[in-house]
């Protein structure tokens, strides 16, 4: 375990010149305790700065809408130069990337920048089958949702795919519109024979909304951050920053 973590450090901090590593610890997995004990033994200061429920919508336990969403134009998103465009109709512009960045900055005290690494991961075309994004254009508002596809294994056997919502930005949407967008994502995931949709509260989704959609709280996850330095100063600063983020989120 120690050798693996040393290799991660060399790749992330050395080769990629990163400042921070973000990760999640799944409390229900025995491996989380092993990883944490290895961190402690090596002296890495790891700050578990936020705890969330893992919300799961399992298609074998919930009813899924059959009809497509009619109250909004829905499209998969691609990147073209400095714009986000409809992946199915590349000539149709959705929003300039700098405009989207300003909207995110106005809504959150802290966020990831829309730089090449992020955009290439979620907006690559042809699709990498591991991530993507949807755009929902309502009459008076829009909603942008990114997701990853988790390919599930049992031992070495593939058992299916789950769709995990990663970010949700809907600055002027009503909760009913966000609910409609999530229902449409669930419908599309079910139509693609995925097993489930996963969500966490970093998306700003309320437990009441998720419960109405059929999600159930499965287990606890911890968001963690660490730096190359084996000190706790950065961790305490990040805890304060995250608290400010939570307070300022509009």
């Amino acid at each position: 375990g120690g050798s693996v973590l040393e290799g991660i450090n060399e790749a992330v901090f050395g080769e990629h010149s990163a400042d921070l590593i973000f990760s999640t610890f799944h409390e229900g997995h025995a491996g989380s305790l092993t990883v944490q004990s290895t961190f402690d033994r090596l002296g890495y200061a790891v700050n578990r700065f936020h705890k969330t429920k893992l919300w799961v919508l399992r298609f074998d336990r919930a009813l899924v809408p059959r009809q497509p969403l009619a109250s909004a134009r829905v499209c998969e998103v691609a990147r073209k130069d400095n714009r986000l465009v409809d992946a199915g109709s590349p000539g149709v512009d959705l929003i300039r990337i700098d405009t989207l960045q300003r909207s995110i900055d106005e809504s959150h005290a802290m966020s990831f920048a829309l730089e090449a690494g992020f955009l290439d991961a979620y907006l690559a075309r042809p699709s990498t089958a591991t991530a993507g994004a949807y755009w929902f254009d309502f009459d008076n508002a829009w909603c942008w949702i990114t997701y990853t596809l988790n390919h599930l294994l049992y031992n070495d056997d593939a058992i299916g795919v789950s769709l995990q919502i990663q970010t949700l930005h809907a600055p002027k949407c009503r909760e009913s519109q966000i609910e409609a967008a999530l229902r449409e994502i669930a419908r599309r995931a079910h139509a693609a024979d995925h097993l489930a949709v996963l969500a966490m509260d970093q998306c700003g989704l309320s437990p009441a909304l998720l419960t109405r959609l059929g999600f159930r709280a499965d287990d606890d996850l911890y968001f963690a951050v660490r730096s190359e330095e084996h000190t706790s100063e950065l961790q305490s600063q990040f805890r304060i920053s995250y608290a400010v983020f939570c307070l300022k989120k509009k």
Side-chain angles (χ1 to χ4, degrees):
S3 299
V4 172
L5 292 178
E6 293 287 0
I8 292 173
N9 271 15
E10 181 179 346
V12 174
F13 297 124
E15 297 176 18
H16 295 284
S17 302
D19 298 311
L20 300 171
I21 293 178
F22 289 90
S23 57
T24 55
F25 287 84
H26 195 164
E27 190 171 63
H29 288 183
S32 292
L33 298 176
T34 303
V35 172
Q36 184 63 63
S37 65
T38 305
F39 280 139
D40 295 340
R41 177 170 55 81
L42 295 176
Y44 294 152
V46 179
N47 175 30
R48 299 188 180 198
F49 62 88
H50 181 62
K51 182 179 180 180
T52 177
K53 289 291 185 183
L54 176 64
W55 291 86
V56 181
L57 174 63
R58 287 181 48 169
F59 295 140
D60 61 342
R61 298 181 179 179
L63 295 176
V64 179
R66 301 295 182 182
Q67 297 300 317
L69 178 63
S71 60
R73 181 169 68 92
V74 186
C75 60
E76 293 191 55
V77 184
R79 177 189 183 188
K80 184 177 181 181
D81 300 325
N82 62 348
R83 310 183 307 280
L84 300 188
V85 299
D86 182 342
S89 305
V92 177
D93 288 358
L94 300 175
I95 194 170
R96 287 176 55 92
I97 293 173
D98 56 358
T99 302
L100 177 60
Q101 183 69 71
R102 284 196 300 273
S103 176
I104 293 172
D105 292 343
E106 290 170 358
S107 300
H108 303 279
M110 180 177 59
S111 65
F112 291 106
L114 298 178
E115 296 180 344
F118 180 93
L119 296 172
D120 290 345
Y122 287 96
L123 305 180
R125 289 293 181 273
S127 173
T128 61
T130 58
Y134 284 111
W135 185 273
F136 296 83
D137 196 353
F138 296 94
D139 290 338
N140 58 350
W142 51 264
C143 175
W144 183 53
I145 297 176
T146 65
Y147 64 88
T148 53
L149 296 177
N150 305 321
H151 294 260
L152 308 176
L153 299 175
Y154 181 76
N155 294 326
D156 293 328
D157 298 324
I159 60 174
V161 176
S162 65
L163 183 150
Q164 181 168 335
I165 296 170
Q166 294 291 348
T167 61
L168 184 152
H169 184 56
K172 296 182 180 180
C173 282
R174 301 186 301 274
E175 185 169 270
S176 60
Q177 292 172 322
I178 294 175
E179 182 173 342
L182 293 177
R183 287 188 187 279
E184 176 62 12
I185 286 180
R187 187 192 69 81
R188 293 184 176 218
H190 183 263
D193 291 328
H194 298 337
L195 300 178
V197 176
L198 286 67
M200 296 176 285
D201 68 359
Q202 87 275 24
C203 301
L205 302 173
S206 72
L209 184 154
L210 292 169
T211 300
R212 284 200 304 273
L213 290 170
F215 284 80
R216 296 293 178 263
D218 180 20
D219 212 338
D220 290 324
L221 288 177
Y222 290 89
F223 296 135
V225 62
R226 66 184 178 92
S227 64
E228 187 173 15
E229 295 80 15
H230 299 186
T231 67
S232 60
E233 179 180 358
L234 177 140
Q235 325 301 352
S236 61
Q237 290 175 351
F238 191 85
R239 184 184 295 275
I240 293 171
S241 298
Y242 189 80
V244 171
F245 161 74
C246 292
L247 290 171
K248 287 188 176 181
K249 183 178 181 298
K250 298 178 182 179

